[in-house]
């Protein structure tokens, strides 16, 4: 574990979107949920500005970073080791009935990516694992047992991989002799399946690794549930900020905010009018998404695809009143 393992992305912009410090001097200290704690870059900045922070991370690897923050801020900081889809239950168990801000910084941390043993990277040899929570089915389990049609579906849907069929067929052929256990073996096999690198700027395994990571960690369902939970937990005037790193994540956030701000797609004059939903539960903090400045990309290339979106909770009821598992 290094001292500066993960450089927080769009930090100043995220803090501004959460409006922390706006309550300074008032009796009410803002309670902000950092739904993706990582190494705590956002949490520390929020605590430094006087907020109380409840953080979530499903990776037990976040614990050592949380212990340091808990020492520095014993009364204002807690880490809950649960997925953010359980944000509402986690807050409830912590004795809170709502919060003033929620931030999601999606995807993997530099610690997860850089540590070969976690199995996220096609650049480092390690076990084919990819589990953020370090429990459940691994990427190796998935690659070695999923039917070929399922692999095609995952690679196409979650990796937007144009040669999904060819890669899935190659992997199924290879695994019948020798199952996959290592990241570099999988990356090399994918490279052979597509006939080498052919001058492509990215490694041919990039999209398949993204797809496996999303599937193993159920990332897109987690995001949808997390946004809905944030909607239920945020008090009127509370702020939502999301930082996404690829189009699948951003599409979900954008779709959620389009719907919840009442800006439904206007539809076509050839189709029946789109029914209006309930009262908007959010208003946009700013239109569109904010990306990093060139100086940030130069200092931290991992920031290059980041997109920040932000919204403010209205006083309308949440559109979904209960977590999915409990709906009848
Ligand atoms: C990009 S990092 C966050 C970095 C953090 N903002 C910082 O400044 O250090 C994302 C973190 O979110 C966690 N994570 C991703 N999906 C999660 C989920 N559904 N529930 C809880 N934690 C999650 C990952 O384990 C990882 O540690």
């Amino acid at each position: 574990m290094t001292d500066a393992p993960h450089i927080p992305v769009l930090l100043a912009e995220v803090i501004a979107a959460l409006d922390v410090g706006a309550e300074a001097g008032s009796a009410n200290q803002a309670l902000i949920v950092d739904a993706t704690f990582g190494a705590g870059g956002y949490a520390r900045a929020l605590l430094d500005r006087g907020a109380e922070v409840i953080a979530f991370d499903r990776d037990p690897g976040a614990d050592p970073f949380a212990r340091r923050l808990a020492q520095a801020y014993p009364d204002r900081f807690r880490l809950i080791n649960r997925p953010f889809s359980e944000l509402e239950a986690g807050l409830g168990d912590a004795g809170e009935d709502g919060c003033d801000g929620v931030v999601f910084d999606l995807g993997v941390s530099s610690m997860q990516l850089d540590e070969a043993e976690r199995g996220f990277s096609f650049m480092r040899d390690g076990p084919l694992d990819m589990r953020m929570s370090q429990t459940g089915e691994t990427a190796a389990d998935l690659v070695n047992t999923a039917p070929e049609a399922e692999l095609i579906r995952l690679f196409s849907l979650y990796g937007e991989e144009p040669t999904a069929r060819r890669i899935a067929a190659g992997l199924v052929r290879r695994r019948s002799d020798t199952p996959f256990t290592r990241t570099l073996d999988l990356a090399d096999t994918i490279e052979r399946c597509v006939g080498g690198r052919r001058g492509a700027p990215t490694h041919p395994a990039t999209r398949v690794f993204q797809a496996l990571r999303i599937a193993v960690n159920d990332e897109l369902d987690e995001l949808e549930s997390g946004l809905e939970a944030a909607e239920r937990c945020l008090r009127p005037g509370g702020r939502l900020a999301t930082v996404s790193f690829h189009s699948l994540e951003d599409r979900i956030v954008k779709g959620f905010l389009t719907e919840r701000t009442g800006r439904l797609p206007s539809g076509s004059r050839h189709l029946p009018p789109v029914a209006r939903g309930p009262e908007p539960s959010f208003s946009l903090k700013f239109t569109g998404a904010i990306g990093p400045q060139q100086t940030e990309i130069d200092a931290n290339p991992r920031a290059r695809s980041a997109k920040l979106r932000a919204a403010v909770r209205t006083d309308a009821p949440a559109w979904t009143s209960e977590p999915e598992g409990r709906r009848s």
Side-chain angles (χ1 to χ4, degrees):
M1 191 177 79
T2 53
D3 268 350
H6 181 97
I7 306 170
V9 170
L10 291 171
L11 178 63
E13 293 83 351
V14 164
I15 300 300
L18 290 168
D19 263 348
V20 168
E23 293 86 355
S26 86
N28 296 328
Q29 189 173 57
L31 169 59
I32 308 292
V33 172
D34 178 354
T36 49
F37 177 75
Y42 290 175
R44 181 176 287 279
L46 292 164
L47 289 160
D48 287 346
R49 285 162 182 76
E52 180 184 348
V53 174
I54 295 188
F56 285 71
D57 204 300
R58 59 175 161 179
D59 188 344
D63 292 354
F65 300 103
R67 276 197 292 277
R68 287 188 208 168
L69 268 192
Q71 270 165 14
Y73 296 100
D75 306 326
R76 287 196 280 128
F77 172 74
R78 276 168 287 180
L79 174 73
I80 298 177
N81 190 217
R82 284 168 86 153
F84 56 59
S85 53
E86 297 176 14
L87 195 148
E88 195 176 12
L91 268 188
D93 292 349
E96 303 291 346
D97 61 1
C99 60
D100 305 296
V102 178
V103 55
F104 295 92
D105 181 16
L106 299 164
V108 277
S109 67
S110 298
M111 292 79 75
Q112 290 165 331
L113 213 51
D114 293 344
E115 212 181 293
E117 288 306 299
R118 301 301 302 273
F120 284 101
S121 171
F122 52 81
M123 315 271 280
R124 294 177 173 78
D125 194 34
L128 192 50
D129 189 317
M130 301 196 191
R131 297 168 304 169
M132 290 184 190
S133 67
Q134 305 186 22
T135 58
E137 192 181 56
T138 64
D141 294 333
L142 190 58
V143 171
N144 291 323
T145 62
E148 186 172 334
E150 175 64 1
L151 292 179
I152 296 171
R153 191 185 74 84
L154 294 179
F155 300 163
S156 309
L157 202 65
Y158 295 162
E160 302 182 286
E161 171 57 64
T163 57
R165 280 179 183 281
R166 203 188 317 164
I167 294 174
L171 300 188
V172 168
R173 242 189 336 268
R174 188 357 255 278
R175 78 185 184 190
S176 63
D177 284 342
T178 319
F180 292 98
T181 59
R182 309 287 297 178
T183 48
L184 283 195
D185 177 29
L186 178 63
D188 291 345
T189 309
I190 294 168
E191 190 173 334
R192 278 196 299 279
C193 290
V194 300
R197 299 204 180 195
R198 300 170 171 205
T202 54
H203 191 287
T206 308
R207 288 185 288 265
V208 168
F209 269 62
Q210 172 181 302
L212 290 173
R213 195 198 87 198
I214 291 175
V216 165
N217 296 291
D218 197 15
E219 288 181 37
L220 303 185
D221 283 348
E222 270 291 313
L223 177 54
E224 284 179 3
S225 304
L227 291 169
E228 290 180 359
E231 181 192 33
R232 290 190 296 272
C233 292
L234 280 167
R235 299 182 181 115
R239 282 80 63 188
L240 172 69
T242 63
V243 178
S244 63
F245 289 87
H246 57 75
S247 56
L248 298 171
E249 290 169 346
D250 189 53
R251 219 174 289 154
I252 290 175
V253 175
K254 190 176 169 190
F256 176 84
L257 290 179
T258 302
E259 205 179 65
R260 297 313 207 258
T261 52
R263 296 171 312 131
L264 287 167
S266 54
S268 154
R269 63 196 168 88
H270 304 296
L271 294 171
V274 181
R276 285 205 73 76
E279 275 298 290
S281 54
F282 284 97
S283 61
L284 286 185
K285 183 99 178 142
F286 48 79
T287 310
I290 291 179
Q293 307 277 344
Q294 191 56 45
T295 46
E296 177 167 4
I297 300 173
D298 292 344
N300 180 17
R302 280 181 187 166
R304 71 184 171 276
S305 49
K307 277 188 177 172
L308 167 68
R309 295 184 187 274
V312 180
R313 187 74 173 84
T314 66
D315 55 10
W319 285 27
T320 52
S321 53
E322 280 187 88
E324 207 165 298
R326 276 189 250 152
R327 266 178 249 156
S328 53

